[in-house]
Amino acid sequence: VAMAATRSVMRAVRVFEFGGPEVLKLQSDVLVPVPKENQVLIKVHACGVNPVETYIRSGTYARKPTLPYTPGSDVAGVIESVGEHVTAFKKGDRVFTLETLSGGYAEYAVAAASRVFPLPAQLDFGQGAALGVPYFTAFRALCQKGCAKAGESVLVHGASGGVGLAACQIARACGLKVLGTAGTEEGMNVILRNGAHHAFNHRDANYTEKIKACTGPGGVDIIIEMLSNVNLDADLQLLSCAGRVMVVGCRGRVEINPRDTMSKESSIIGVSLFLATEEERHECATAVLDGIEAGWLKPVVGLEYPLEKVVQAHKDIIDSSGARGKMVLLP
């Protein structure tokens, strides 16, 4: 019997029940998926870990995948094979993905060709795994939904993680005044190296007063908010007239006074990359690839974990004292 070109089984993380990080099970006998028409098979070199993947795994998120499933959407790697009708990619191409069909926490992953993009030579695979969800989300929040304009100011609340650093780089390139917060000295330094004009420690009791002193009485035009259940009430006090809070992340409920939005005619706008149209995704991809080519878009990779440490990765992304770039799994 002729052996298939690809190994028939692989290591992959599987989730058989919703729950805590311990439900992530690394298995070594998972079948390598086969790409159907308009799909590609990628040998995974790195896969990004996103907070949303912990919410989905816990079963508390709006979208629940059918069990069992493999988490992970941000893959960077090399095309192993292509399905019928795929002309944009061939075996050996370096690529990154916005989402996968079979799950990215694995040695191989299948993705729709329309969700796969060429990985420029100047980025390594770890950086490639930091592109998809973080940069597309940051661009959507700032430009597509936030309507950011040169000369405006933006506060990136929780700026040292994957989406936050992406937002700092994009905002700076678009001509905005960029303010960022982080929870550690190291995180603040990372922010300042990646486009922020000013950094604040959100663990300081009076940090919002320091932000007000920095922006002056006008306030800040846009806030990119990663932890709205903690910060939304305070955010509304920091906004300018017609300012907008872009809700990118949330881990629970929050109490606000709607009168705070009336006094400035401010807006609270939810951001979901999942709802982007094909045209909007194409716009995101174009902006990201242009930024890489121009040299201002440089993903920062933080902690790296082997697949064996996936449980620890899911604990750390929620409980760690402060992010320093994008968390990545290395199969």
Side-chain angles (χ1 to χ4, degrees):
V1 181
M3 287 294 290
T6 315
R7 298 202 338 258
S8 56
V9 295
M10 64 174 180
R11 296 189 315 144
V13 175
R14 302 291 282 163
V15 175
F16 294 93
E17 59 179 326
F18 296 112
E22 68 282 351
V23 302
L24 298 161
K25 306 291 185 194
L26 179 58
Q27 308 219 291
S28 55
D29 57 353
V30 179
L31 288 174
V32 174
V34 177
K36 302 188 176 77
E37 62 177 338
N38 300 314
Q39 297 176 359
V40 298
L41 177 67
I42 300 164
K43 180 163 182 25
V44 179
H45 287 254
C47 182
V49 180
N50 294 296
V52 69
E53 286 145 26
T54 70
Y55 314 151
I56 293 169
R57 180 215 69 225
S58 70
T60 59
Y61 197 63
R63 300 201 317 276
K64 283 195 183 67
T66 307
L67 295 168
Y69 77 99
T70 295
S73 57
D74 292 334
V75 160
V78 174
I79 297 281
E80 181 72 24
S81 61
V82 301
E84 276 188 280
H85 310 311
V86 175
T87 54
F89 301 102
K90 63 185 185 309
K91 182 176 166 69
D93 286 352
R94 284 164 41 99
V95 294
F96 73 94
T97 68
L98 182 58
E99 58 189 59
T100 68
L101 296 164
S102 60
Y105 294 11
E107 291 179 316
Y108 292 89
V110 159
S114 62
R115 303 288 192 276
V116 178
F117 307 94
L119 178 62
Q122 55 265 56
L123 299 188
D124 62 32
F125 290 115
Q127 291 174 305
L131 283 173
V133 168
Y135 279 88
F136 283 50
T137 299
F139 182 81
R140 182 166 182 76
L142 260 176
C143 303
Q144 291 179 337
K145 294 294 174 185
C147 304
K149 295 182 183 65
E152 287 189 314
S153 57
V154 61
L155 169 64
V156 184
H157 222 154
S160 60
V163 178
L165 288 170
C168 288
Q169 291 177 2
I170 294 168
R172 183 64 179 255
C174 290
L176 279 82
K177 179 181 179 182
V178 185
L179 291 66
T181 76
T184 63
E185 194 70 35
E186 192 180 356
M188 289 165 65
N189 289 331
V190 169
I191 294 169
L192 290 169
R193 285 200 300 272
N194 285 279
H197 294 89
H198 303 279
F200 304 88
N201 190 326
H202 49 222
R203 294 179 197 279
D204 287 354
N206 62 339
Y207 82 98
T208 53
E209 296 308 315
K210 292 179 181 173
I211 292 173
K212 283 178 184 167
C214 182
T215 59
V220 67
D221 298 305
I222 304 171
I223 298 177
I224 307 289
E225 184 52 71
M226 311 301 169
L227 199 61
S228 45
N229 53 300
V230 172
N231 300 322
L232 188 58
D233 185 49
D235 287 342
L236 295 176
Q237 322 298 323
L238 295 171
L239 284 179
S240 64
C241 274
R244 48 266 188 220
V245 180
M246 313 307 299
V247 177
V248 171
C250 183
R251 297 180 186 176
R253 301 179 70 82
V254 64
E255 191 172 302
I256 62 166
N257 183 349
R259 190 177 292 277
D260 292 334
T261 66
M262 295 160 61
S263 60
K264 296 173 180 172
E265 290 196 325
S266 53
S267 310
I268 301 167
I269 302 170
V271 179
S272 171
L273 187 57
F274 184 67
L275 296 175
T277 64
E278 201 66 53
E279 291 78 12
E280 286 172 328
R281 270 194 300 271
H282 180 72
E283 186 190 8
C284 289
T286 304
V288 165
L289 291 167
D290 283 354
I292 296 167
E293 194 181 345
W296 57 259
L297 194 158
K298 284 203 177 83
V300 179
V301 177
L303 296 168
E304 298 182 327
Y305 299 77
L307 278 183
E308 292 81 3
K309 297 276 174 65
V310 64
V311 172
Q312 192 60 47
H314 266 226
K315 286 178 181 166
D316 290 350
I317 199 165
I318 295 301
D319 299 330
S320 70
S321 60
R324 298 181 305 283
K326 178 74 183 160
M327 184 180 285
V328 170
L329 286 174
L330 302 172

